[in-house]
Amino acid sequence: MFPLHPAQAAACPVVSPPEIAFDFVPKSPQLDRNRSVKWLNRKAASHNPGWFVTGLTSYAMQAKFEMRIEPVALGDGRYCLLPALIHPTVTVSEHLVYIASELDRGSCEYDVVYAHEGQHVAINQHMELDIRNALPTFLDDVTRDFSRMQPISARLAASRIQNLLSRYGRDFKSLLAKIDNARQRDHAKIDTPAEYTRLSHACGPNSAFQTTLPAAMRR
């Protein structure tokens, strides 16, 4: 199956394709209406101090990159490193939408806040689609790397395997971070002073945004 002469083994052959799997575990957004406006503002400690928070979308995901690389002897003291398993996993661990408990369901103010948080939910879900779309290319790039690798000596095999595992794990997390940064920028585009001003006046001059909620913040 392998050429025995070193000159004939310029690159490592692919004996069999690796086992490739990608798991994305989503989580449907859940609504929490049991938190006061003061609680929301404590949770969102980094928000613009010129405004108080009436709704909040909290999102978190976890990532794991599992990979197994096997050395295959060429019979001349050298080895080819071949991927046997490539299995990245992304799990959404939290997707919660909070709306201040002081807002009555069905009120204008509730609907305004709910619609705004719905935009945040849509951004999070769009990022999930971006991850699903990006992973096949990433996995193709990893397998293509191995097809270009040169045989190595036995004494280098163990350290090279560890280096490759670390490298691809970092590349996977870097890809997710790049996509997540785009998500954060999209969130920032709808969390602007101009948008907050528009929302605060969407229900008239004497709405809960000017009366009930500021009073609850002072208590």
Side-chain angles (χ1 to χ4, degrees):
M1 189 170 294
F2 295 104
L4 295 178
H5 194 279
Q8 292 178 285
C12 287
V14 177
V15 180
S16 60
E19 178 186 345
I20 296 178
F22 168 50
D23 290 331
F24 191 99
V25 185
K27 190 177 186 67
S28 298
Q30 298 174 303
L31 180 63
D32 187 331
R33 297 184 58 242
N34 301 312
R35 310 295 182 173
S36 70
V37 66
K38 291 186 76 170
W39 186 93
L40 291 180
N41 281 265
R42 286 196 299 268
K43 183 172 178 63
S46 61
H47 75 283
N48 188 322
W51 303 89
F52 58 86
V53 177
T54 58
L56 185 67
T57 297
S58 182
Y59 184 91
M61 64 180 182
Q62 299 174 338
K64 181 176 70 173
F65 188 76
E66 183 183 3
M67 187 174 188
R68 188 171 72 251
I69 301 172
E70 296 181 349
V72 178
L74 294 177
D76 60 354
R78 297 180 308 157
Y79 288 79
C80 280
L81 302 183
L82 301 178
L85 171 69
I86 308 174
H87 186 188
T89 301
V90 177
T91 301
V92 179
S93 56
E94 181 177 282
H95 203 175
L96 282 170
V97 176
Y98 298 99
I99 296 181
S101 59
E102 291 85 358
L103 297 180
D104 295 327
R105 188 190 293 269
S107 66
C108 174
E109 295 88 347
Y110 177 94
D111 291 343
V112 165
V113 175
Y114 187 87
H116 179 78
E117 297 309 316
Q119 294 181 69
H120 286 297
V121 168
I123 289 170
N124 294 335
Q125 293 175 330
H126 189 276
M127 181 201 66
E128 295 175 0
L129 180 61
D130 288 343
I131 292 173
R132 292 176 187 268
N133 290 336
L135 258 295
T137 299
F138 171 76
L139 295 172
D140 286 345
D141 290 343
V142 173
T143 55
R144 194 177 299 113
D145 280 351
F146 281 90
S147 69
R148 295 191 291 260
M149 288 184 186
Q150 305 298 310
I152 60 174
S153 65
R155 65 183 179 84
L156 296 177
S159 61
R160 182 69 60 84
I161 288 173
Q162 289 304 314
N163 288 339
L164 289 171
L165 292 175
S166 297
R167 170 190 164 188
Y168 292 124
R170 289 194 304 270
D171 289 349
F172 173 59
K173 291 183 179 179
S174 177
L175 173 65
L176 295 182
K178 180 179 179 181
I179 296 174
D180 187 59
N181 287 339
R183 176 181 73 101
Q184 299 292 352
R185 290 193 295 271
D186 288 341
H187 283 310
K189 290 176 183 177
I190 63 173
D191 281 340
T192 63
E195 179 65 5
Y196 291 154
T197 298
R198 184 187 72 81
L199 295 177
S200 68
H201 293 93
C203 298
N206 295 309
S207 71
F209 295 133
Q210 288 81 35
T211 58
T212 304
L213 295 175
M217 285 292 291
R218 291 191 293 269
R219 287 200 294 268

